[in-house]
mmCIF file with all atom_site columns, all heavy atoms in Angstrom:
data_model
loop_
_atom_site.group_PDB
_atom_site.id
_atom_site.type_symbol
_atom_site.label_atom_id
_atom_site.label_alt_id
_atom_site.label_comp_id
_atom_site.label_asym_id
_atom_site.label_entity_id
_atom_site.label_seq_id
_atom_site.pdbx_PDB_ins_code
_atom_site.Cartn_x
_atom_site.Cartn_y
_atom_site.Cartn_z
_atom_site.occupancy
_atom_site.B_iso_or_equiv
_atom_site.pdbx_formal_charge
_atom_site.auth_seq_id
_atom_site.auth_comp_id
_atom_site.auth_asym_id
_atom_site.auth_atom_id
_atom_site.pdbx_PDB_model_num
ATOM 1   N N   . THR A 1 7  ? 2.225  -39.024 -25.461 1.00 60.00 ? 306 THR A N   1
ATOM 2   C CA  . THR A 1 7  ? 0.836  -38.694 -25.115 1.00 60.00 ? 306 THR A CA  1
ATOM 3   C C   . THR A 1 7  ? 0.747  -38.168 -23.687 1.00 60.00 ? 306 THR A C   1
ATOM 4   O O   . THR A 1 7  ? 0.036  -37.196 -23.401 1.00 60.00 ? 306 THR A O   1
ATOM 5   C CB  . THR A 1 7  ? -0.063 -39.937 -25.247 1.00 60.00 ? 306 THR A CB  1
ATOM 6   O OG1 . THR A 1 7  ? 0.036  -40.445 -26.583 1.00 60.00 ? 306 THR A OG1 1
ATOM 7   C CG2 . THR A 1 7  ? -1.515 -39.589 -24.942 1.00 60.00 ? 306 THR A CG2 1
ATOM 8   N N   . GLY A 1 8  ? 1.506  -38.797 -22.788 1.00 55.00 ? 307 GLY A N   1
ATOM 9   C CA  . GLY A 1 8  ? 1.508  -38.364 -21.388 1.00 55.00 ? 307 GLY A CA  1
ATOM 10  C C   . GLY A 1 8  ? 2.060  -36.964 -21.217 1.00 55.00 ? 307 GLY A C   1
ATOM 11  O O   . GLY A 1 8  ? 1.506  -36.145 -20.468 1.00 55.00 ? 307 GLY A O   1
ATOM 12  N N   . VAL A 1 9  ? 3.156  -36.678 -21.931 1.00 52.00 ? 308 VAL A N   1
ATOM 13  C CA  . VAL A 1 9  ? 3.777  -35.344 -21.853 1.00 52.00 ? 308 VAL A CA  1
ATOM 14  C C   . VAL A 1 9  ? 2.827  -34.285 -22.405 1.00 52.00 ? 308 VAL A C   1
ATOM 15  O O   . VAL A 1 9  ? 2.637  -33.214 -21.815 1.00 52.00 ? 308 VAL A O   1
ATOM 16  C CB  . VAL A 1 9  ? 5.116  -35.321 -22.617 1.00 52.00 ? 308 VAL A CB  1
ATOM 17  C CG1 . VAL A 1 9  ? 5.625  -33.878 -22.741 1.00 52.00 ? 308 VAL A CG1 1
ATOM 18  C CG2 . VAL A 1 9  ? 6.147  -36.174 -21.903 1.00 52.00 ? 308 VAL A CG2 1
ATOM 19  N N   . VAL A 1 10 ? 2.212  -34.583 -23.559 1.00 53.00 ? 309 VAL A N   1
ATOM 20  C CA  . VAL A 1 10 ? 1.266  -33.637 -24.172 1.00 53.00 ? 309 VAL A CA  1
ATOM 21  C C   . VAL A 1 10 ? 0.083  -33.388 -23.245 1.00 53.00 ? 309 VAL A C   1
ATOM 22  O O   . VAL A 1 10 ? -0.362 -32.251 -23.054 1.00 53.00 ? 309 VAL A O   1
ATOM 23  C CB  . VAL A 1 10 ? 0.776  -34.160 -25.540 1.00 53.00 ? 309 VAL A CB  1
ATOM 24  C CG1 . VAL A 1 10 ? -0.372 -33.293 -26.063 1.00 53.00 ? 309 VAL A CG1 1
ATOM 25  C CG2 . VAL A 1 10 ? 1.924  -34.179 -26.546 1.00 53.00 ? 309 VAL A CG2 1
ATOM 26  N N   . SER A 1 11 ? -0.429 -34.471 -22.649 1.00 56.00 ? 310 SER A N   1
ATOM 27  C CA  . SER A 1 11 ? -1.560 -34.339 -21.716 1.00 56.00 ? 310 SER A CA  1
ATOM 28  C C   . SER A 1 11 ? -1.184 -33.476 -20.527 1.00 56.00 ? 310 SER A C   1
ATOM 29  O O   . SER A 1 11 ? -1.978 -32.632 -20.071 1.00 56.00 ? 310 SER A O   1
ATOM 30  C CB  . SER A 1 11 ? -2.007 -35.725 -21.238 1.00 56.00 ? 310 SER A CB  1
ATOM 31  O OG  . SER A 1 11 ? -2.452 -36.518 -22.315 1.00 56.00 ? 310 SER A OG  1
ATOM 32  N N   . LEU A 1 12 ? 0.023  -33.671 -20.013 1.00 53.00 ? 311 LEU A N   1
ATOM 33  C CA  . LEU A 1 12 ? 0.492  -32.888 -18.875 1.00 53.00 ? 311 LEU A CA  1
ATOM 34  C C   . LEU A 1 12 ? 0.583  -31.406 -19.221 1.00 53.00 ? 311 LEU A C   1
ATOM 35  O O   . LEU A 1 12 ? 0.173  -30.539 -18.443 1.00 53.00 ? 311 LEU A O   1
ATOM 36  C CB  . LEU A 1 12 ? 1.859  -33.408 -18.407 1.00 53.00 ? 311 LEU A CB  1
ATOM 37  C CG  . LEU A 1 12 ? 2.459  -32.733 -17.167 1.00 53.00 ? 311 LEU A CG  1
ATOM 38  C CD1 . LEU A 1 12 ? 1.541  -32.911 -15.957 1.00 53.00 ? 311 LEU A CD1 1
ATOM 39  C CD2 . LEU A 1 12 ? 3.837  -33.296 -16.875 1.00 53.00 ? 311 LEU A CD2 1
ATOM 40  N N   . ILE A 1 13 ? 1.107  -31.130 -20.426 1.00 61.00 ? 312 ILE A N   1
ATOM 41  C CA  . ILE A 1 13 ? 1.225  -29.730 -20.881 1.00 61.00 ? 312 ILE A CA  1
ATOM 42  C C   . ILE A 1 13 ? -0.155 -29.094 -20.991 1.00 61.00 ? 312 ILE A C   1
ATOM 43  O O   . ILE A 1 13 ? -0.367 -27.947 -20.577 1.00 61.00 ? 312 ILE A O   1
ATOM 44  C CB  . ILE A 1 13 ? 1.965  -29.665 -22.235 1.00 61.00 ? 312 ILE A CB  1
ATOM 45  C CG1 . ILE A 1 13 ? 3.434  -30.048 -22.042 1.00 61.00 ? 312 ILE A CG1 1
ATOM 46  C CG2 . ILE A 1 13 ? 1.848  -28.265 -22.841 1.00 61.00 ? 312 ILE A CG2 1
ATOM 47  C CD1 . ILE A 1 13 ? 4.207  -30.224 -23.344 1.00 61.00 ? 312 ILE A CD1 1
ATOM 48  N N   . VAL A 1 14 ? -1.106 -29.852 -21.538 1.00 55.00 ? 313 VAL A N   1
ATOM 49  C CA  . VAL A 1 14 ? -2.479 -29.342 -21.686 1.00 55.00 ? 313 VAL A CA  1
ATOM 50  C C   . VAL A 1 14 ? -3.100 -29.065 -20.320 1.00 55.00 ? 313 VAL A C   1
ATOM 51  O O   . VAL A 1 14 ? -3.729 -28.024 -20.105 1.00 55.00 ? 313 VAL A O   1
ATOM 52  C CB  . VAL A 1 14 ? -3.352 -30.352 -22.473 1.00 55.00 ? 313 VAL A CB  1
ATOM 53  C CG1 . VAL A 1 14 ? -4.818 -29.937 -22.416 1.00 55.00 ? 313 VAL A CG1 1
ATOM 54  C CG2 . VAL A 1 14 ? -2.878 -30.443 -23.918 1.00 55.00 ? 313 VAL A CG2 1
ATOM 55  N N   . ILE A 1 15 ? -2.889 -29.990 -19.374 1.00 59.00 ? 314 ILE A N   1
ATOM 56  C CA  . ILE A 1 15 ? -3.445 -29.818 -18.027 1.00 59.00 ? 314 ILE A CA  1
ATOM 57  C C   . ILE A 1 15 ? -2.852 -28.586 -17.347 1.00 59.00 ? 314 ILE A C   1
ATOM 58  O O   . ILE A 1 15 ? -3.574 -27.781 -16.744 1.00 59.00 ? 314 ILE A O   1
ATOM 59  C CB  . ILE A 1 15 ? -3.186 -31.080 -17.172 1.00 59.00 ? 314 ILE A CB  1
ATOM 60  C CG1 . ILE A 1 15 ? -4.046 -32.239 -17.684 1.00 59.00 ? 314 ILE A CG1 1
ATOM 61  C CG2 . ILE A 1 15 ? -3.489 -30.813 -15.704 1.00 59.00 ? 314 ILE A CG2 1
ATOM 62  C CD1 . ILE A 1 15 ? -3.687 -33.583 -17.091 1.00 59.00 ? 314 ILE A CD1 1
ATOM 63  N N   . VAL A 1 16 ? -1.528 -28.436 -17.454 1.00 54.00 ? 315 VAL A N   1
ATOM 64  C CA  . VAL A 1 16 ? -0.858 -27.274 -16.848 1.00 54.00 ? 315 VAL A CA  1
ATOM 65  C C   . VAL A 1 16 ? -1.389 -25.980 -17.466 1.00 54.00 ? 315 VAL A C   1
ATOM 66  O O   . VAL A 1 16 ? -1.657 -24.999 -16.759 1.00 54.00 ? 315 VAL A O   1
ATOM 67  C CB  . VAL A 1 16 ? 0.674  -27.367 -17.034 1.00 54.00 ? 315 VAL A CB  1
ATOM 68  C CG1 . VAL A 1 16 ? 1.339  -26.052 -16.645 1.00 54.00 ? 315 VAL A CG1 1
ATOM 69  C CG2 . VAL A 1 16 ? 1.232  -28.512 -16.198 1.00 54.00 ? 315 VAL A CG2 1
ATOM 70  N N   . PHE A 1 17 ? -1.555 -25.979 -18.788 1.00 60.00 ? 316 PHE A N   1
ATOM 71  C CA  . PHE A 1 17 ? -2.072 -24.793 -19.491 1.00 60.00 ? 316 PHE A CA  1
ATOM 72  C C   . PHE A 1 17 ? -3.494 -24.465 -19.027 1.00 60.00 ? 316 PHE A C   1
ATOM 73  O O   . PHE A 1 17 ? -3.820 -23.308 -18.764 1.00 60.00 ? 316 PHE A O   1
ATOM 74  C CB  . PHE A 1 17 ? -2.043 -25.037 -20.999 1.00 60.00 ? 316 PHE A CB  1
ATOM 75  C CG  . PHE A 1 17 ? -2.601 -23.899 -21.802 1.00 60.00 ? 316 PHE A CG  1
ATOM 76  C CD1 . PHE A 1 17 ? -1.894 -22.718 -21.964 1.00 60.00 ? 316 PHE A CD1 1
ATOM 77  C CD2 . PHE A 1 17 ? -3.865 -24.005 -22.394 1.00 60.00 ? 316 PHE A CD2 1
ATOM 78  C CE1 . PHE A 1 17 ? -2.414 -21.663 -22.702 1.00 60.00 ? 316 PHE A CE1 1
ATOM 79  C CE2 . PHE A 1 17 ? -4.388 -22.963 -23.127 1.00 60.00 ? 316 PHE A CE2 1
ATOM 80  C CZ  . PHE A 1 17 ? -3.667 -21.786 -23.287 1.00 60.00 ? 316 PHE A CZ  1
ATOM 81  N N   . LEU A 1 18 ? -4.325 -25.496 -18.920 1.00 64.00 ? 317 LEU A N   1
ATOM 82  C CA  . LEU A 1 18 ? -5.711 -25.288 -18.493 1.00 64.00 ? 317 LEU A CA  1
ATOM 83  C C   . LEU A 1 18 ? -5.773 -24.790 -17.055 1.00 64.00 ? 317 LEU A C   1
ATOM 84  O O   . LEU A 1 18 ? -6.572 -23.893 -16.729 1.00 64.00 ? 317 LEU A O   1
ATOM 85  C CB  . LEU A 1 18 ? -6.509 -26.595 -18.632 1.00 64.00 ? 317 LEU A CB  1
ATOM 86  C CG  . LEU A 1 18 ? -6.836 -27.032 -20.066 1.00 64.00 ? 317 LEU A CG  1
ATOM 87  C CD1 . LEU A 1 18 ? -7.497 -28.398 -20.070 1.00 64.00 ? 317 LEU A CD1 1
ATOM 88  C CD2 . LEU A 1 18 ? -7.728 -26.002 -20.757 1.00 64.00 ? 317 LEU A CD2 1
ATOM 89  N N   . LEU A 1 19 ? -4.942 -25.356 -16.190 1.00 64.00 ? 318 LEU A N   1
ATOM 90  C CA  . LEU A 1 19 ? -4.912 -24.905 -14.790 1.00 64.00 ? 318 LEU A CA  1
ATOM 91  C C   . LEU A 1 19 ? -4.481 -23.438 -14.693 1.00 64.00 ? 318 LEU A C   1
ATOM 92  O O   . LEU A 1 19 ? -5.027 -22.671 -13.897 1.00 64.00 ? 318 LEU A O   1
ATOM 93  C CB  . LEU A 1 19 ? -3.950 -25.774 -13.974 1.00 64.00 ? 318 LEU A CB  1
ATOM 94  C CG  . LEU A 1 19 ? -4.450 -27.169 -13.589 1.00 64.00 ? 318 LEU A CG  1
ATOM 95  C CD1 . LEU A 1 19 ? -3.345 -27.966 -12.910 1.00 64.00 ? 318 LEU A CD1 1
ATOM 96  C CD2 . LEU A 1 19 ? -5.669 -27.072 -12.673 1.00 64.00 ? 318 LEU A CD2 1
ATOM 97  N N   . LYS A 1 20 ? -3.514 -23.074 -15.539 1.00 78.00 ? 319 LYS A N   1
ATOM 98  C CA  . LYS A 1 20 ? -3.055 -21.681 -15.558 1.00 78.00 ? 319 LYS A CA  1
ATOM 99  C C   . LYS A 1 20 ? -4.178 -20.746 -15.986 1.00 78.00 ? 319 LYS A C   1
ATOM 100 O O   . LYS A 1 20 ? -4.362 -19.667 -15.406 1.00 78.00 ? 319 LYS A O   1
ATOM 101 C CB  . LYS A 1 20 ? -1.858 -21.553 -16.514 1.00 78.00 ? 319 LYS A CB  1
ATOM 102 C CG  . LYS A 1 20 ? -1.181 -20.200 -16.466 1.00 78.00 ? 319 LYS A CG  1
ATOM 103 C CD  . LYS A 1 20 ? 0.064  -20.196 -17.332 1.00 78.00 ? 319 LYS A CD  1
ATOM 104 C CE  . LYS A 1 20 ? 0.740  -18.831 -17.293 1.00 78.00 ? 319 LYS A CE  1
ATOM 105 N NZ  . LYS A 1 20 ? 1.954  -18.791 -18.153 1.00 78.00 ? 319 LYS A NZ  1
#
Side-chain angles (χ1 to χ4, degrees):
T306 303
V308 170
V309 171
S310 298
L311 183 61
I312 291 171
V313 170
I314 290 169
V315 169
F316 178 74
L317 288 174
L318 284 174
K319 188 175 180 181

